[in-house]
Amino acid sequence: MKVKVSRKAHFNAAHRLYRKDWSFEKNDAIFGKCNNPKFHGHNYDLIVSVTGEIDPETGYVMDMKILKDLIKQEVEEAFDHKNLNMDVPEFTELNPTAENIAVVIWNKLRPHIDPENEIEVVLYETPRNFVTYSG
Ligand code: NI
């Protein structure tokens, strides 16, 4: 019997979507306002879910305190109030779209969570736009 447990978190960050190898005009056509050279911010909402068997001793799939601390250490401390393009090494050569941010978060969390459990990352860039990555 598998159960999914989830933890919500939040961070604010700035970004710019563009490709160095494209002209400003092409970047503008593809990325629109997100290509603003002076950057812009989003209030990101994150939901990390862990799916696995309930431990018969504790009754937990995963101790939520441990998940909370892990998200704080790996995501909030790395991304909150940062410029993703300039301050976060993962995005030096990778466009910080919601899709890529979700994959980076998943990759940062995966080594710290029991390999028997599946993990899923849902990232809201706006209240209406969100992406999901499960590996
Ligand atoms: Ni944006």
Side-chain angles (χ1 to χ4, degrees):
M1 181 178 61
K2 292 202 171 185
V3 177
K4 174 157 98 170
V5 300
S6 303
R7 169 83 190 171
K8 286 186 180 174
H10 179 81
F11 58 93
N12 304 313
H15 76 168
R16 177 189 179 192
L17 302 183
Y18 72 112
R19 290 189 61 95
K20 289 175 203 162
D21 56 332
W22 288 356
S23 67
F24 185 85
E25 289 69 28
K26 181 162 183 187
N27 276 304
D28 203 45
I30 302 291
F31 298 118
K33 284 182 183 170
C34 278
N35 176 42
N36 179 349
K38 294 181 176 170
F39 304 95
H40 63 278
H42 291 280
N43 293 313
Y44 291 95
D45 279 314
L46 173 67
I47 303 171
V48 177
S49 298
V50 178
T51 303
E53 299 287 340
I54 299 175
D55 183 315
E57 284 188 321
T58 60
Y60 289 161
V61 171
M62 179 174 181
D63 184 331
M64 296 300 272
K65 170 76 165 65
I66 294 173
L67 184 58
K68 173 190 169 188
D69 291 346
L70 187 58
I71 294 169
K72 185 168 182 4
Q73 167 198 315
E74 294 295 325
V75 181
E76 292 169 40
E77 283 175 11
F79 296 175
D80 191 37
H81 286 75
K82 298 289 170 68
N83 178 315
L84 297 176
N85 303 75
M86 299 178 74
D87 301 332
V88 179
E90 284 87 349
F91 300 111
T92 306
E93 299 296 331
L94 180 67
N95 230 355
T97 58
E99 291 88 333
N100 283 332
I101 299 168
V103 172
V104 165
I105 291 172
W106 192 96
N107 286 333
K108 285 170 74 87
L109 296 175
R110 180 69 275 183
H112 302 283
I113 293 174
D114 185 337
E116 304 260 301
N117 293 340
E118 293 158 34
I119 68 172
E120 178 189 270
V121 167
V122 178
L123 182 71
Y124 284 77
E125 190 171 71
T126 73
R128 291 170 191 271
N129 293 346
F130 62 98
V131 303
T132 303
Y133 183 62
S134 329

